[in-house]
């Protein structure tokens, strides 16, 4: 957030508001759509907002709005990733699968401070590539609601 244009405090408030709203809206959205569709929606909106953030990188006006949208959908995807372990794996395997995912995510987040210190748009391109790969990978999940949709 510190390298994005605009007021750092306004960007911080937008980020916090988006995260709170995203985490609270995960369950209501998941009630109406399948797991794969919600993942695609979440990461698709992240891809769109990151693309617009790279386009309007010099804009002080659009930055907080795009940060809010991006943080909303990333937070929704974050909560959804924990819920998907519970929904997709049998109870006896859920803790092992969750532990493996947490271990691998901790290994990847070692690089987060180094990526955060890169100047935009390089850091945004890296986050965009992670979002694209997550959107593609999430479409290989099996879901019970796929037969209903």
């Amino acid at each position: 957030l510190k390298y994005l244009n605009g007021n750092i405090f306004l960007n911080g408030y937008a980020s916090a508001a988006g995260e709170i709203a995203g985490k609270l809206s995960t369950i209501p959205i998941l009630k109406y759509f399948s797991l794969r569709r919600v993942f695609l929606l979440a990461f698709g909106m992240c891809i769109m907002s990151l693309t617009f953030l790279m386009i309007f990188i010099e804009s002080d006006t659009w930055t907080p709005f795009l940060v809010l949208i991006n943080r909303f959908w990333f937070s929704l995807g974050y909560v959804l990733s924990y819920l998907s372990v519970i929904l997709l794996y049998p109870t006896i395997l859920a803790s092992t699968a969750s532990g493996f995912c947490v271990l691998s995510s901790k290994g990847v987040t070692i690089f987060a401070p180094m990526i955060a210190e890169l100047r935009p748009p390089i850091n945004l391109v890296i986050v965009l590539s992670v979002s694209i790969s997550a959107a593609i990978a999430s479409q290989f999940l099996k879901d019970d609601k796929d037969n209903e949709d």
Side-chain angles (χ1 to χ4, degrees):
L1 285 177
K2 68 181 178 179
Y3 292 125
L4 293 176
N5 280 351
N7 186 343
I8 191 169
F9 298 109
L10 190 58
N11 292 344
Y13 290 139
S15 175
E19 184 165 354
I20 291 169
K23 288 182 177 179
L24 290 177
S25 64
T26 304
I27 298 294
I29 292 175
L30 192 58
K31 282 185 179 181
Y32 296 105
F33 299 105
S34 69
L35 192 63
R36 284 183 11 201
R37 289 188 182 180
V38 178
F39 268 127
L40 185 63
L41 177 68
F43 291 123
M45 292 299 288
C46 288
I47 291 166
M48 184 186 71
S49 64
L50 281 168
T51 304
F52 283 133
L53 193 58
M54 285 189 290
I55 292 170
F56 298 114
I57 199 159
E58 297 296 324
S59 173
D60 293 345
T61 309
W62 284 100
T63 301
F65 177 69
L66 293 170
V67 165
L68 176 99
I69 292 172
N70 196 354
R71 194 61 174 213
F72 175 87
W73 291 108
F74 262 122
S75 297
L76 191 137
Y78 178 79
V79 173
L80 195 62
S81 65
Y82 279 99
L83 287 175
S84 65
V85 171
I86 297 168
L87 295 173
L88 295 176
Y89 290 103
T91 307
I92 197 159
L93 298 175
S95 62
T96 304
S98 179
F100 178 74
C101 292
V102 167
L103 178 69
S104 59
S105 70
K106 296 287 184 190
V108 171
T109 56
I110 291 172
F111 301 105
M114 292 177 272
I115 293 171
E117 289 299 318
L118 296 173
R119 293 271 181 198
I122 297 169
N123 57 359
L124 297 175
V125 169
I126 293 171
V127 175
L128 182 67
S129 64
V130 170
S131 298
I132 291 170
S133 63
I136 292 169
S138 68
Q139 297 311 295
F140 293 104
L141 294 174
K142 185 170 166 69
D143 197 5
D144 292 337
K145 287 186 182 179
D146 285 341
N147 299 331
E148 298 173 12
D149 291 342

